[in-house]
């Protein structure tokens, strides 16, 4: 899950050249600010599985599909699983719009890099726990994911609404659930094939330098 969010964030414009702010001389109206708000609203409303193709590649899409399947089977609630994945996409889209419009301060960009490093740590840990028998530690994995959550909340604190903050909490708290992680990594459990495909995708993202 952590790597998927990395891919989503990177493809939305993690590295964008700074543009000058355009503002009318008559008052404080900013066409740039207005355009950004419109983009966030429209793109957020488009955050469905179909529109994901516009923002992430096939590898990330495959991971997203596996995360949805795991959530659906674990919770026994298709609606909840769909909401978690949709919230994840909405977060990525809105943060992508902010990056494209150069809304983050220098301090926030430093926090964003810390977030990226934490996600990389999470991806490598997830792969290691899968590849090396009897190494899985639910506490370690859960703490990495909650650490990612806390860093991301700091990055977007002054930019997104409390509702969006709630979506971030929803996504990370869901996948950081120690019981879900335990089921996911159970050697002979029902999610072993899903985990294999997730880790295969993570390896691809690591190899191409995305995370």
């Amino acid at each position: 899950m952590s790597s998927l969010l990395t891919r989503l964030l990177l493809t939305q414009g993690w590295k964008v050249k700074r543009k000058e702010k355009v503002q009318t001389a008559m008052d404080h109206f900013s066409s740039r600010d207005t355009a950004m708000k419109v983009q966030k609203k429209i793109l957020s409303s488009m955050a469905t599985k179909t529109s994901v193709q516009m923002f992430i590649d096939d590898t990330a899409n495959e991971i997203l599909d596996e995360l949805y399947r795991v959530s659906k089977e674990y919770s026994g609630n298709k609606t909840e699983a769909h909401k978690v994945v949709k919230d994840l996409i909405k977060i990525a889209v809105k943060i992508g719009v902010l990056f494209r419009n150069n809304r983050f301060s220098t301090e926030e960009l430093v926090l964003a890099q810390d977030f990226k490093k934490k996600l990389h740590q999470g991806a490598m840990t997830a792969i290691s726990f899968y590849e090396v028998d009897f190494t899985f530690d639910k506490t370690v994995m859960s703490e990495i994911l909650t650490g990612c959550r806390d860093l991301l909340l700091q990055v977007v604190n002054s930019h997104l609404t409390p509702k969006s903050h709630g979506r971030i909490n929803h996504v990370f708290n869901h996948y950081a659930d120690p019981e879900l992680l335990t089921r996911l990594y159970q050697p002979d459990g029902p999610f072993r094939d899903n985990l294999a495909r997730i880790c295969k995708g993570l390896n691809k993202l690591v190899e191409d330098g995305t995370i």
Side-chain angles (χ1 to χ4, degrees):
M1 174 265 170
S2 59
S3 66
L4 172 60
L5 190 54
T6 302
R7 170 66 84 178
L8 286 167
L9 295 176
L10 289 173
T11 54
Q12 296 312 308
W14 199 258
K15 299 177 182 178
V16 186
K17 291 184 179 180
R18 184 173 298 277
K19 297 178 182 178
E20 294 183 358
K21 185 174 182 180
V22 179
Q23 193 171 41
T24 63
M26 298 299 295
D27 53 34
H28 293 293
F29 171 79
S30 169
S31 60
R32 184 165 174 261
D33 287 345
T34 301
M36 184 183 69
K37 290 176 182 178
V38 172
Q39 286 179 67
K40 284 167 64 177
K41 184 174 182 62
I42 293 175
L43 292 176
S44 178
S45 69
M46 291 168 58
T48 63
K49 192 175 177 223
T50 301
S51 66
V52 170
Q53 310 257 346
M54 297 165 52
F55 305 109
I56 61 175
D57 65 9
D58 290 341
T59 300
N61 235 331
E62 290 166 5
I63 297 173
L64 185 67
D65 285 342
E66 295 304 324
L67 289 173
Y68 169 76
R69 293 182 185 115
V70 169
S71 295
K72 183 178 71 172
E73 293 303 317
Y74 174 74
S75 67
N77 188 328
K78 182 178 179 180
T79 301
E80 171 62 14
H82 182 267
K83 188 176 188 304
V84 171
V85 174
K86 190 172 182 178
D87 280 352
L88 189 159
I89 297 165
K90 285 184 175 181
I91 293 164
V93 169
K94 290 186 176 183
I95 293 174
V97 171
L98 291 169
F99 271 108
R100 284 181 173 179
N101 289 275
N102 302 302
R103 308 304 288 184
F104 293 110
S105 67
T106 301
E107 293 77 11
E108 288 166 340
L109 289 174
V110 170
L111 285 170
Q113 286 301 314
D114 290 341
F115 171 69
K116 181 183 174 184
K117 291 175 183 176
K118 196 73 172 178
L119 286 173
H120 176 80
Q121 179 192 3
M124 297 303 293
T125 302
I127 294 169
S128 176
F129 283 163
Y130 168 70
E131 294 180 341
V132 183
D133 292 338
F134 309 114
T135 58
F136 170 69
D137 187 322
K138 64 181 179 182
T139 301
V140 170
M141 197 72 241
S142 181
E143 287 179 351
I144 291 174
L145 289 172
T146 54
C148 289
R149 176 201 65 198
D150 294 343
L151 282 169
L152 186 57
L153 285 170
Q154 290 181 65
V155 173
V156 303
N157 181 54
S158 63
H159 300 283
L160 297 183
T161 65
K163 186 174 182 179
S164 291
H165 294 172
R167 290 193 178 106
I168 292 172
N169 280 312
H170 182 217
V171 170
F172 281 98
N173 291 349
H174 178 80
Y175 289 109
D177 177 3
E179 294 308 312
L180 183 154
L181 291 169
T182 298
R183 289 282 302 280
L184 180 62
Y185 277 90
Q186 189 176 341
D188 299 318
F191 301 127
R192 196 64 182 174
D193 289 342
N194 304 95
L195 180 60
R197 288 188 286 269
I198 289 171
C199 289
K200 180 180 179 181
L202 296 184
N203 268 314
K204 287 182 181 179
L205 298 184
V206 170
E207 287 172 2
D208 70 16
T210 298
I211 56 176

